[in-house]
Amino acid sequence: FVSMNTNLTPKSVLGFCDRIDPARVVLIYASLHIKELERLGLTETFIRHFHLFKTKGFRILARGVAYPPLLKEIEKYKEFFRKEGIELKFGRYDGEYEGREYPAAYTQEELQAFGLENAPDLRSCQRGTLCNAGYNAAVVWPDGAVVLCLNVIEKLGHIYEGIRFKERMIRCPSPYCTCPAHFYDTGLYEKALRENKV
């Protein structure tokens, strides 16, 4: 089973849509970079491909980045995509903007505007937290290399040559985690806890 992120604009996604069984795909995060789609004239391509995946039975979510400059136009974009049959949700922005470090710098009003006030991934995974990365979840890079997670680049194998998962859960060595597996797939995390008798 896989989940993946894609901006849905390359033609190669059409081959994936035709050849892959939707039952083997947990979730597709369709990365909706609004300003880039507009700049490159790819908004209609994104919409067309999104609906193709949905029609084929894939579980797909459109997710934008809660980039602070978008705040003034957020309602306009939500309405535009709603009319196109796409519910636009946002994930946090990690980085600096106008001297402020995000996601810590979000105000309560900004969190509400982006729909992030209850987002679990605003909490970071601290060093020492039990994690199932590398145990029953991993990250696959575009070249096929399989690593523990986005922050711990420990190679577990290759998608075409085999993957050697760890025998036990690890304690997170990273002081800050941008993609905590236990928020995105709680079923796999809880399964790992049971198998490790935690």
Side-chain angles (χ1 to χ4, degrees):
F1 295 91
V2 297
S3 62
M4 71 172 188
N5 297 320
T6 170
N7 63 18
L8 282 185
T9 57
K11 288 182 181 176
S12 58
V13 300
L14 301 177
F16 182 97
C17 190
D18 285 337
R19 293 170 49 206
I20 304 300
D21 179 359
R24 305 296 292 176
V25 179
V26 179
L27 180 64
I28 295 172
Y29 278 109
S31 301
L32 208 170
H33 299 284
I34 297 166
K35 293 297 186 183
E36 279 299 287
L37 290 174
E38 287 179 341
R39 186 179 72 82
L40 297 170
L42 291 170
T43 306
E44 292 305 314
T45 301
F46 179 95
I47 293 168
R48 185 172 63 253
H49 289 177
F50 184 95
H51 286 299
L52 176 64
F53 271 82
K54 203 167 179 182
T55 301
K56 293 264 189 172
F58 289 91
R59 183 170 173 245
I60 184 168
L61 297 176
R63 190 153 187 184
V65 176
Y67 190 48
L70 284 177
L71 203 59
K72 293 176 184 174
E73 299 179 279
I74 197 66
E75 293 306 321
K76 175 186 87 172
Y77 286 119
K78 283 182 185 175
E79 180 63 13
F80 171 80
F81 284 101
R82 187 191 64 76
K83 285 182 176 174
E84 294 291 340
I86 298 174
E87 183 183 7
L88 174 55
K89 298 215 174 207
F90 289 88
R92 71 186 188 193
Y93 167 64
D94 289 278
E96 188 179 317
Y97 177 71
E98 293 187 340
R100 301 169 71 202
E101 197 66 36
Y102 288 83
Y106 282 121
T107 65
Q108 194 57 37
E109 293 75 21
E110 289 172 329
L111 290 173
Q112 286 175 346
F114 284 117
L116 291 174
E117 61 269 36
N118 297 312
D121 66 350
L122 282 176
R123 294 172 284 179
S124 60
C125 175
Q126 299 298 320
R127 189 187 306 272
T129 304
L130 269 174
C131 185
N132 61 321
Y135 175 75
N136 64 359
V139 169
V140 181
W141 293 119
D143 66 0
V146 179
V147 297
L148 206 72
C149 77
L150 294 170
N151 291 341
V152 184
I153 314 301
E154 179 185 330
K155 195 166 180 185
L156 299 173
H158 194 277
I159 194 73
Y160 298 117
E161 297 163 10
I163 306 167
R164 294 188 65 186
F165 282 96
K166 293 188 170 292
E167 294 182 10
R168 303 284 301 166
M169 292 176 77
I170 64 162
R171 292 210 173 262
C172 181
S174 178
Y176 180 73
C177 178
T178 58
C179 185
H182 53 289
F183 292 136
Y184 289 119
D185 194 327
T186 53
L188 272 183
Y189 184 69
E190 288 166 1
K191 180 175 186 286
L193 290 176
R194 287 193 303 274
E195 290 174 352
N196 283 259
K197 296 181 170 51
V198 177

